[in-house]
Amino acid sequence: MTPSESPLLDPVTLEILETAYLQRCASVDELRGALPAPPGDLQARLEALYAGGFLAEADGRLDYTSPYTAFVAIGAARAERIVDEAVRTTALMQALPRLIRAWDISEVEDGGRHPLAVNIIHAVSDSGDAWFRHAAAETTSRPSMVFPEEGPLLAALRAGHLADLQGRMEEGHLRVLVNVDLHPTGELAERLDDVRRRGVQLRRSRNTPSWLYVDAGSIVGVPILWGSPAPTRLLAVRTPPVVAAVALVFDELWHAADRWEESESPWVPILGLMGQGLTDDAIAQRLGLTDRTVRRRIAEAMVELGVTSRFALGMAWERLSAP
């Protein structure tokens, strides 16, 4: 491994830096003399350490920077590069439908290794039925989705598409990003609870620029009109470099997103209404839930609070909610 490949992980370079730190050598010649076996490319390795911010040379003297300071600077620079790359790739995704239309119109033969492999999918509903039928023909490995708005997400949940997609996976999880401003209640909250129990992972993101489907091993689904919140008219792209690039962008969005954490246990509002004397049916109607969900959450509350009867649950809740 040469210093230019990975100088800060190279054991020889690390030994040079460690010796310099331990002995605070005043010059390169002094450092060379302190090393048990100076490498022939010592100057190149020192240049790598200068570039990394660990050392500096001025008028023949060595100056030192704390490793904490150097590593913070390296981390910040790497994060900036990642963000810049994500922005550039997102811009390319936005231009992708337009570029593909231009390619299809022309008659230029592709001489490269990866000709564009694209289909246009026309859907008639926000649920994405046509898209999911198309995607079902692919080998599912690591699917991920973006839903900018509540309507298409609820439609896909009602149609069972997310649960079916998770069920086709031998291992792993379907990852779904939703807009950070989405706060599920009623039917949407209930259906999201259901798919989470089946293994679907959810996160909230401040950057949900368009409806998107990407499976790193096979296919990308991107709206012909980038920014569309629903899967109506889509491009199905199988060109490997395009799929890989979009998958990397999703990974960056996923890692930057907020974890899906409820502000309170889902049974809290139910126990509050129970304390007011409402029946299960009345509670279900008030909260927009089914009777079955109300009973299940009451059972979860009993387990959580360590009680075995509704009477004891009411007493425990009265103690918890006392000012």
Side-chain angles (χ1 to χ4, degrees), residues 174-187:
L174 167 64
R175 299 180 300 172
V176 178
L177 280 178
V178 301
N179 190 275
V180 71
D181 294 329
L182 178 64
H183 300 287
T185 58
E187 180 188 0

Side-chain angles (χ1 to χ4, degrees), residues 114-119 236-239:
H114 299 296
L116 285 173
V118 180
N119 295 103
V237 185
R238 296 180 182 80
T239 307

Side-chain angles (χ1 to χ4, degrees), residues 28 57 76 78 89 98 160 172 210 220 230 233 239 266 284 312 320:
V28 173
E57 185 182 12
R78 183 177 185 277
T89 310
R98 182 176 173 182
S210 178
V220 164
R233 299 180 63 216
T239 307
L320 281 175

Side-chain angles (χ1 to χ4, degrees), residues 44-65:
R45 294 179 185 276
L46 288 174
E47 293 292 341
L49 291 173
Y50 300 155
F54 291 93
L55 298 174
E57 185 182 12
D59 299 326
R61 297 187 59 83
L62 288 177
D63 291 328
Y64 294 85
T65 301

